[in-house]
Amino acid sequence: MRMTQHAEPAVTTPPAPGPKETDGRTAQRPLALRLLARPEVGVFLGAVAVYVFFLIAAPPVRDGSSMANILYQSSTIGIMALPVALLMIGGEFDLSSGVAVITSALTASMLAYQLTLNVWAGVIAALVVSLAIGFLNGWLVVKTGLPSFLITLGTFLILQGVNLAVTKLVTGNVATDDISDMDGFSGAKKVFASSFEVGGVQIKITIVYWLVFAALATWVLLRTKYGNWIFAVGGNKESARAVGVPVTFTKISLFMLVGFGAWFVGMHNLFSFNTVQSGEGVGQELIYISAAVIGGCLLTGGAGSAIGPVFGAFMFGMVQQGIVYAGWNPDWFKAFLGVMLLGAVLINLWVSRTATRR
Amino acid sequence: MDRSSRSQSRRFAPVVALAAAAALTLAGCSSSSGGKKSEESADGASAGKASTPRMTVALVTHQSPGDTFWDIVRKGAEAAAAKDNVKLIYTNDPSAGGQATLVQNAIDQKVDGIAVTLAKPDALKDVIAKAKGQKIPVVGLNSGVSEWQKLGLLEFFGQDETVAGEALGKRLNDEGAKSAVCVIQEQGNIGLTQRCDGVKKTFEGKFQTVNVNGADMPSVKSTITAKLSQDKSIDYVVALGAPIALTAAQSVSDAGSKAKVATFDLNKDLTGAISKGTIAFAVDQQPYLQGYLAVDSLWLYKNNGNYMGGGEQPVLTGPAFVDKSNVDAVAQYAAKGTR
């Protein structure tokens, strides 16, 4: 009881100003109406609102390197949020994606270290393992017809246990050994975890991958036959099958795409931190899913975009780091995060309702 | 597999085959540096085996899975068990109720002794009383330095988290720190909070805390970077675990900050970082010793009726400082995962 009483003043202040007015004005302009009906516009406005809010509330955010840091955090969420979003548009769900990232990193690290191989061998093996996990998830979902929630909850638990038990069995510890002095490491680090300078600001390479992948996913969704299949299987599986959409292929490949994303982020984790703790990754799946949902992907499938989750992930990174840049009391951290995200989602919802009503 | 699935999997076959082939090709080129080959064969501490009759000891902790710290506690317990002819049953559950159930489980198995961590002492009160009723000796370790006597445990092995934090705070004063930030990787964890509170108590400069998501290293890195750019006056980052400290060191360089990093707890990468100078110092509570003494003390009690700490005082295993001056002596053991 005491908690909630304290919560109200502190939590309701931040999200209230700025955003609503901006949206109100934009929504009343008839020219914008057609644009507003698109699923990603609401989240875009939500992201802008959050950004403007922190520009005012947290002076350090105005600095270029702070923005690079926020974008870095957003990119590691965003790279995974993309395939997770495509999967959701395709009508399925993956709870194992967070620990799958760690499984991939552990596989690459342990294989290379234990067999004293060039680390690239580990990287390729991890890709095979990640795609196989995706295939297994997809195959089980398609073959059993069970909800993907159940199937991937199973793989989530299996991977969590396997991550720990196999790491302990192989290395004798619960973390992997440092592989940073091994052949191929510096090359792999360049590919997965390097950074470059633009105007005195260090930009992490994951930001580039994130935007490239998002562009690619948008093109696939909107311009290719495969993109149509994704919408079709997510909308209505049976009628999709009736008009000749390869449902099984589409669903399994979407799960494998999530596997690819997990591999990619796993490699980033491995090559930027040199070692991996086997207990990490738990809970991350919900963050990826939230980014996709905030980005306008329906939990029921059949609707969404690839660009929406980009803003969804940005919003997550922006709020999470913005709270720190603003120097607010860290005890309230998660409450702030939740309130701001809810606020942003409400803006999102309000915009799309306003747009479709007229 | 029915027919339709076979035709589907055929489409994936080339992809999988290609990837496997690539993996095999790469497997041909092995690394010339690092890796398992360069690792020295680890000879653990071994000193024969007791000829006393075999006894069973249960070690029940509040470890959450995959944490390097607890791995070291367990190794200490296993080493003592091997020497003392003890069969060790190790179980763990981060939830209070789960841990109580595990202690009950040990009682049901009629073990000869129980070692338990007291992160949530109230939840374990009843079940510990039950063990005493069955004449099973119980010792405490790691957390609960202020509660073990109230619960009627025989002995306690660990460090007082607040005392350890206070020691670190004093050290920061000696180092001339002006502004420190304490990084909590698990919001709401009592031991972590006590450490930061201890630092706050003795540290004379400006003190803040920041919460990070310990399950996601990229996010830990960005959050500490963000904190350092928000407050440029910070000259010491205090981490509460070795992996977080190593990541914090990366954040410091990312943020272009001149802050130093100090931490609680060790692992082998951290000792490397201390000798290289990327981490200033660590407070070591010697988790190996906690696990070892907990098991060994139960053996001594059963076979010779001894009480460590006289049954009145806790046996403190920390805080000991590891810095550049003494890191070499510790590093060889950390490499084996026992420090």
Side-chain angles (χ1 to χ4, degrees):
Chain A
M1 280 317 279
R2 224 164 85 225
M3 283 298 286
T4 37
Q5 277 167 9
H6 281 293
E8 277 173 22
V11 176
T12 42
T13 23
K20 276 188 181 165
E21 280 176 25
T22 330
D23 298 331
R25 258 177 271 138
T26 335
Q28 273 144 28
R29 274 157 48 197
L31 262 177
L33 269 182
R34 221 159 38 123
L35 255 179
L36 281 175
R38 292 208 51 79
E40 57 270 19
V41 172
V43 67
F44 171 72
L45 292 176
V48 169
V50 166
Y51 176 59
V52 170
F53 174 74
F54 278 113
L55 272 185
I56 298 162
V61 171
R62 295 167 210 162
D63 194 41
S65 60
S66 302
M67 196 28 76
N69 186 37
I70 290 165
L71 285 175
Y72 167 61
Q73 155 87 75
S74 310
S75 70
T76 56
I77 296 171
I79 291 174
M80 270 308 273
L82 279 172
V84 165
L86 294 187
L87 180 70
M88 280 174 67
I89 298 172
E92 302 295 344
F93 201 75
D94 191 349
L95 283 177
S96 68
S97 55
V99 283
V101 167
I102 303 304
T103 305
S104 199
L106 291 171
T107 307
S109 170
M110 285 194 288
L111 198 90
Y113 187 86
Q114 297 299 326
L115 305 177
T116 318
L117 298 177
N118 188 303
V119 294
W120 280 103
V123 170
I124 302 293
L127 176 61
V128 175
V129 168
S130 289
L131 291 177
I133 293 168
F135 178 83
L136 186 77
N137 272 335
W139 185 77
L140 283 172
V141 164
V142 171
K143 286 301 136 191
T144 59
L146 288 169
S148 46
F149 184 93
L150 277 180
I151 301 281
T152 58
L153 180 65
T155 37
F156 164 74
L157 293 170
I158 293 171
L159 290 180
Q160 208 183 332
V162 165
N163 281 357
L164 179 61
V166 172
T167 309
K168 176 92 199 206
L169 205 66
V170 171
T171 69
N173 299 305
V174 293
T176 62
D177 299 279
D178 188 348
I179 60 162
S180 62
D181 56 350
M182 296 183 67
D183 289 356
F185 186 89
S186 57
K189 191 178 172 80
K190 276 200 188 83
V191 173
F192 293 107
S194 59
S195 54
F196 56 92
E197 208 179 291
V198 177
V201 174
Q202 288 286 320
I203 308 284
K204 294 278 195 306
I205 197 148
T206 47
I207 301 173
V208 177
Y209 285 121
W210 176 38
L211 299 178
V212 169
F213 288 159
L216 204 67
T218 303
W219 177 75
V220 167
L221 262 185
L222 299 180
R223 291 274 175 274
T224 67
K225 197 160 70 174
Y226 184 67
N228 285 333
W229 291 350
I230 298 177
F231 281 110
V233 297
N236 188 329
K237 198 171 71 178
E238 289 321 313
S239 46
R241 207 189 294 271
V243 295
V245 172
V247 174
T248 307
F249 168 78
T250 309
K251 293 219 165 183
I252 294 182
S253 60
L254 282 173
F255 273 105
M256 290 176 76
L257 205 61
V258 176
F260 177 84
W263 169 74
F264 202 89
V265 176
M267 291 309 103
H268 171 71
N269 277 9
L270 175 59
F271 291 109
S272 46
F273 302 103
N274 310 341
T275 59
V276 192
Q277 279 201 102
S278 55
E280 285 173 42
V282 179
Q284 290 305 105
E285 64 285 340
L286 292 181
I287 292 177
Y288 305 141
I289 292 166
S290 325
V293 174
I294 293 166
C297 296
L298 288 187
L299 280 160
T300 46
S305 69
I307 201 74
V310 171
F311 295 120
F314 171 75
M315 204 186 284
F316 222 100
M318 181 74 237
V319 172
Q320 199 167 8
Q321 304 310 331
I323 290 166
V324 180
Y325 282 119
W328 291 344
N329 182 350
D331 293 344
W332 288 103
F333 181 75
K334 284 194 177 152
F336 285 139
L337 190 67
V339 168
M340 300 224 83
L341 286 174
L342 260 182
V345 176
L346 288 178
I347 291 175
N348 186 354
L349 182 78
W350 179 75
V351 167
S352 60
R353 282 213 183 134
T354 317
T356 44
R357 205 186 297 137
R358 295 184 191 183
Chain B
M1 243 188 236
D2 65 23
R3 217 169 281 151
S4 69
S5 80
R6 211 172 299 145
S7 75
Q8 290 307 333
S9 54
R10 213 173 287 145
R11 297 182 199 208
F12 293 100
V15 183
V16 174
L18 195 74
L24 284 174
T25 321
L26 273 168
C29 40
S30 59
S31 177
S32 57
S33 61
K36 186 81 174 169
K37 272 185 189 165
S38 72
E39 192 183 55
E40 287 175 359
S41 63
D43 16 279
S46 59
K49 192 173 176 182
S51 56
T52 47
R54 192 151 174 85
M55 63 185 276
T56 307
V57 167
L59 172 56
V60 185
T61 74
H62 65 278
Q63 173 201 356
S64 55
D67 185 333
T68 53
F69 178 88
W70 289 102
D71 203 32
I72 304 175
V73 173
R74 189 172 170 183
K75 278 183 184 161
E78 276 164 358
K83 270 197 224 172
D84 295 343
N85 194 21
V86 163
K87 182 186 169 204
L88 181 74
I89 303 170
Y90 180 85
T91 49
N92 62 293
D93 195 317
S95 74
Q99 213 195 343
T101 312
L102 288 173
V103 175
Q104 179 60 53
N105 203 319
I107 297 171
D108 297 342
Q109 292 181 62
K110 302 200 165 31
V111 296
D112 301 299
I114 297 174
V116 66
T117 63
L118 302 173
K120 288 109 184 170
D122 291 339
L124 294 174
K125 210 166 167 182
D126 292 347
V127 79
I128 286 173
K130 222 182 258 178
K132 283 176 65 191
Q134 308 263 331
K135 304 257 180 299
I136 301 174
V138 186
V139 301
L141 70 151
N142 184 263
S143 15
V145 72
S146 50
E147 277 88 7
W148 68 279
Q149 271 189 317
K150 277 179 245 160
L151 298 184
L153 301 196
L154 274 186
E155 303 148 316
F156 180 85
F157 311 93
Q159 82 177 352
D160 184 319
E161 299 292 11
T162 315
V163 169
E166 286 168 3
L168 194 138
K170 279 182 202 147
R171 173 81 182 235
L172 289 181
N173 293 336
D174 296 344
E175 303 276 331
K178 298 272 173 285
S179 170
V181 61
C182 197
V183 183
I184 297 185
Q185 73 266 28
E186 199 189 318
Q187 212 177 330
N189 177 313
I190 180 150
L192 300 183
T193 315
Q194 283 171 344
R195 286 179 178 183
C196 283
D197 289 348
V199 177
K200 190 180 177 182
K201 214 160 154 189
T202 52
F203 180 53
E204 287 154 7
K206 184 179 167 193
F207 177 85
Q208 305 172 70
T209 56
V210 65
N211 292 321
V212 298
N213 172 6
D216 180 28
M217 277 300 167
S219 134
V220 171
K221 185 162 142 183
S222 338
T223 308
I224 300 173
T225 307
K227 188 66 204 172
L228 290 168
S229 359
Q230 185 254 325
D231 187 345
K232 305 254 188 216
S233 75
I234 293 170
D235 56 4
Y236 255 95
V237 179
V238 177
L240 305 179
I244 306 289
L246 292 163
T247 304
Q250 291 192 9
S251 302
V252 167
S253 78
D254 268 16
S257 156
K258 289 205 167 55
K260 290 180 180 163
V261 181
T263 185
F264 290 84
D265 301 340
L266 286 177
N267 70 18
K268 70 175 169 185
D269 295 331
L270 195 91
T271 54
I274 290 177
S275 44
K276 265 188 275 170
T278 39
I279 306 276
F281 63 88
V283 171
D284 185 15
Q285 62 169 307
Q286 308 195 77
Y288 186 87
L289 197 56
Q290 293 176 1
Y292 185 93
L293 291 180
V295 172
D296 204 37
S297 67
L298 285 164
W299 176 78
L300 280 169
Y301 177 75
K302 185 173 169 96
N303 290 292
N304 205 37
N306 290 119
Y307 298 92
M308 288 194 208
E312 291 292 325
Q313 294 294 320
V315 178
L316 295 183
T317 59
F321 283 99
V322 176
D323 58 19
K324 218 166 184 170
S325 67
N326 64 353
V327 67
D328 292 342
V330 174
Q332 50 170 322
Y333 305 114
K336 290 179 207 159
T338 58
R339 272 303 288 271

